Amino acid sequence: MTSTSSGPAYTIQTARTLLRCWSPADAARALRAIHASLEHLRPWLDWAREAYPMSVSQQAAVLRRFRGRFDLGEDFTYAVFDRGGTEVLGGCGLHPRVGEGGREIGYWIASEHIGQGLATEVAAALTRVAFELEGLRRVEIHCDPLNVRSVAVPRKLGFTHEGTLRQRLRSPDGGWRDTMLWTLLAEDHAARPAAASNLEAFDVLGQRLL
């Protein structure tokens, strides 16, 4: 799936964050945030469990792949920075892996910044971008029902809990864990909290899109 002719949004500013396409030059900052958060991330995210720790050069290669896929319109993975663009607060993405007309929102927040509502703020911004800029008809969020912080995000944003897929993914201990499926449709977006989120979105040339 590729973005519309007016997109994608390479930079998104919210009240407290700056989201932008990852660059290989962000590798050292990304690695510091990830390595400091591994204990927090590993129970829920396969990549945190399987790929880390890694070196700065390895992280740069990962971010280079992210940037390449972003530029080609294949997948949209963002860094989450503070408003000044200096500290990595986490990461997020709009991922076209849920079928035609849809995107899945993913997010993680560095351990020292959890509990501040940043994941909700970021997911709200990506929801607006998906519907108002990309013209999609469906946005999904998938999460483990035991990850109470992650579950709170779609609930706060007015997504509908479509169901829980039982024993869907492997757990860290080698067993199986469930996955909750949350969905928001384009026709419901205007009446949900994400539609009122404060943001500005810009294309690769810095021209405002939203």
Side-chain angles (χ1 to χ4, degrees):
M1 179 185 297
T2 59
S3 64
T4 62
S5 58
S6 58
Y10 274 74
T11 304
I12 304 166
Q13 294 179 347
T14 73
R16 295 179 292 169
T17 70
L18 171 69
L19 315 184
R20 67 161 171 79
C21 172
W22 285 105
S23 164
D26 299 322
R29 289 184 291 180
L31 204 58
R32 282 195 296 271
I34 293 169
H35 279 173
S37 304
L38 284 177
E39 184 177 351
H40 160 65
L41 298 174
R42 279 176 169 158
W44 319 114
L45 298 173
D46 290 341
W47 57 261
R49 197 163 55 247
E50 297 169 358
Y52 290 87
M54 66 170 60
S55 67
V56 173
S57 61
Q58 289 172 321
Q59 183 68 62
V62 170
L63 300 185
R64 185 181 180 189
R65 289 194 294 272
F66 286 166
R67 177 62 188 242
R69 297 197 69 194
F70 200 112
D71 287 337
L72 291 172
E74 296 176 349
D75 196 11
F76 305 95
T77 305
Y78 294 89
V80 180
F81 286 96
D82 65 299
R83 278 283 299 212
T86 58
E87 182 181 4
V88 173
L89 306 182
C92 62
L94 274 173
H95 306 298
R97 57 195 178 202
V98 293
E100 183 178 356
R103 296 267 175 85
E104 179 188 345
I105 292 177
Y107 45 82
W108 64 272
I109 299 297
S111 57
E112 65 178 301
H113 299 289
I114 61 174
Q116 302 174 30
L118 292 174
T120 303
E121 185 172 320
V122 164
L126 293 182
T127 300
R128 280 197 62 192
V129 167
F131 288 129
E132 300 174 31
L133 177 58
E134 303 291 347
L136 299 173
R137 64 181 182 85
R138 187 182 77 259
V139 173
E140 298 182 8
I141 293 177
H142 300 182
C143 55
D144 189 314
L146 298 179
N147 188 348
V148 293
R149 293 185 185 276
S150 189
V151 171
V153 172
R155 183 175 287 129
K156 289 176 183 176
L157 295 179
F159 281 60
T160 297
H161 178 211
E162 300 282 0
T164 298
L165 308 176
R166 296 181 298 167
Q167 299 188 15
R168 191 70 170 187
L169 298 172
R170 283 287 185 183
S171 61
D173 62 6
W176 295 94
R177 57 190 176 93
D178 299 342
T179 298
M180 298 180 80
L181 172 60
W182 298 81
T183 303
L184 184 62
L185 301 179
E187 56 261 37
D188 299 323
H189 168 58
R192 298 296 191 269
S197 63
N198 179 28
L199 69 84
E200 294 180 321
F202 304 88
D203 67 12
V204 69
L205 298 177
Q207 298 175 335
R208 185 169 177 177
L209 300 171
L210 284 176

